[in-house]
Amino acid sequence: GAVVSQHPSWVICKSGTSVKIECRSLDFQATTMFWYRQFPKQSLMLMATSNEGSKATYEQGVEKDKFLINHASLTLSTLTVTSAHPEDSSFYICSALGQGATEAFFGQGTRLTVV
Amino acid sequence: AQKVTQAQTEISVVEKEDVTLDCVYETRDTTYYLFWYKQPPSGELVFLIRRNSFDEQNEISGRYSWNFQKSTSSFNFTITASQVVDSAVYFCALITNAGKSTFGDGTTLTVKP
């Protein structure tokens, strides 16, 4: 299957700082990327959908000013957690969908710990 | 709206036992895909199987087998002769053509030696 790479795999940051997570499709062009969040011992919940070159669509309850999503190219989407707080500590994972494709591929995820 | 239900929150078995993880889904879409993923303690999602809504053939891959019953909207996963390395959280997921994934709450499988 296609390869989606997420970076970093884990990050620890201080409360109040911002953290950027990258999601790259390595061998295909991803017209759509999805960002999910998974709290400990819970399922994965969709946060937002981003299409290349346009604004992301956020799911209900997700603060768009706190979780900034940029999908500036067909191979890269970034999620920036701004002014991070301990409650933002979670596992963030992206998936990428190619144009005309019917299957999205997942990155390996990023474990964020805010101290 | 889509929904995936994994009624079993936790399952514990002894090594070499067979175990079945249940998955029931709801969708109004006629075309969709069903997946099973394994999530070990390290956190990454490991792809196990993908099935489209038009393919009800059951599949066997080594010790793993899947039973897709469209009539009951179920996509159950069986591990035969379980091993300690099978211990993980298993997620069933439903994906539509738009690419959005809806995950079940996961089943934590513990295989004891």
Side-chain angles (χ1 to χ4, degrees), chain B residues 35-46:
Chain B
F35 292 75
W36 274 97
Y37 291 95
K38 175 181 180 180
Q39 188 177 43
S42 51
E44 77 275 17
L45 285 178
V46 178

Side-chain angles (χ1 to χ4, degrees), chain A residues 32-112:
Chain A
T32 306
M33 286 190 174
F34 305 90
W35 286 96
Y36 298 82
R37 178 170 55 185
Q38 183 185 30
F39 291 111
K41 299 189 185 299
Q42 294 188 25
S43 188
L44 290 84
M45 299 300 293
L46 180 66
M47 297 174 66
T49 303
S50 74
N51 292 298
E52 186 265 337
S54 59
K55 288 184 178 180
T57 302
Y58 291 81
E59 296 298 304
Q60 195 171 12
V62 178
E63 300 173 60
K64 61 180 181 181
D65 294 330
K66 180 168 185 59
F67 299 100
L68 301 179
I69 292 173
N70 184 286
H71 191 167
S73 78
L74 285 171
T75 58
L76 173 65
S77 175
T78 60
L79 167 67
T80 302
V81 183
T82 62
S83 187
H85 290 285
E87 56 264 31
D88 298 324
S89 298
S90 185
F91 186 68
Y92 294 87
I93 192 165
C94 69
S95 69
L97 181 71
Q99 188 171 21
T102 54
E103 179 179 351
F105 296 91
F106 284 91
Q108 62 268 56
T110 298
R111 189 165 299 282
L112 169 65

Side-chain angles (χ1 to χ4, degrees), chain B residues 30-76:
Chain B
T30 54
T31 302
Y32 52 88
Y33 300 84
L34 294 164
F35 292 75
W36 274 97
Y37 291 95
K38 175 181 180 180
Q39 188 177 43
S42 51
E44 77 275 17
L45 285 178
V46 178
F47 167 82
L48 295 178
I49 190 172
R50 167 186 183 268
R51 260 287 172 270
N52 74 53
S53 51
F54 300 107
D55 181 3
E56 286 193 72
Q57 269 193 327
N58 292 328
E59 181 162 336
I60 297 175
S61 176
R63 295 185 297 107
Y64 296 167
S65 63
W66 291 269
N67 185 298
F68 179 24
Q69 296 283 341
K70 210 168 175 179
S71 59
T72 56
S73 298
S74 65
F75 187 43
N76 297 336

